[in-house]
Amino acid sequence: MQLEKKSFSSPDEVRPMADHGQVEIVKLGDGVVGKATFEPGWRWSNDVKPIAGTESCQAAHFGYVVSGHQAVRMDDGTELEFGPGDIVAIPPGHDGWVIGDEPCVVVDFAGMAHYAER
């Protein structure tokens, strides 16, 4: 690891999520941080499932919610809603969707290395 600085204003990569958002990727050393912007109408099973090719999201996420609201349903039926200021840990095996008409922006420190990667 070395002393290094990067910004989402110049991400290393931008990955679109079908019709409702994108993920900006920044790579530092061995780490990957993603800033996901989930637009109103976004749902993992509609916007990322065709890219991932799995029945549910198999990435584990650990993130900070900057704005907007989202809900997650685990494969076992457990649900959680979150919004601005929340820190979330989401294990693999889930679907998610935006609640309301505001984009949900999440900075994810764990699950973005291959998220929405074609």
Side-chain angles (χ1 to χ4, degrees):
M1 184 179 287
Q2 64 184 18
L3 186 61
E4 191 174 5
K5 172 179 98 168
K6 289 190 176 180
S7 171
F8 284 117
S9 63
S10 298
D12 294 310
E13 186 180 351
V14 177
R15 299 176 191 155
M17 293 184 285
D19 297 326
H20 297 103
Q22 67 180 16
V23 178
E24 298 165 81
I25 301 294
V26 172
K27 300 174 183 176
L28 288 170
D30 293 334
V32 176
V33 180
K35 182 175 85 171
T37 302
F38 304 100
E39 299 291 342
W42 177 88
R43 186 175 190 108
W44 185 90
S45 53
N46 296 330
D47 292 285
V48 184
K49 179 179 178 177
I51 299 166
T54 56
E55 283 304 308
S56 61
C57 181
Q58 296 302 306
H61 304 285
F62 184 76
Y64 173 75
V65 183
V66 177
S67 61
H69 293 85
Q70 196 174 128
V72 169
R73 179 181 300 122
M74 301 302 300
D75 289 348
D76 70 5
T78 306
E79 289 192 21
L80 178 71
E81 292 185 14
F82 50 86
D86 289 339
I87 298 168
V88 295
I90 305 169
H94 59 272
D95 192 5
W97 59 93
V98 169
I99 298 171
D101 57 4
E102 177 185 1
C104 182
V105 178
V106 179
V107 177
D108 190 332
F109 298 93
M112 297 311 227
H114 300 288
Y115 190 84
E117 187 174 60
R118 296 193 183 276

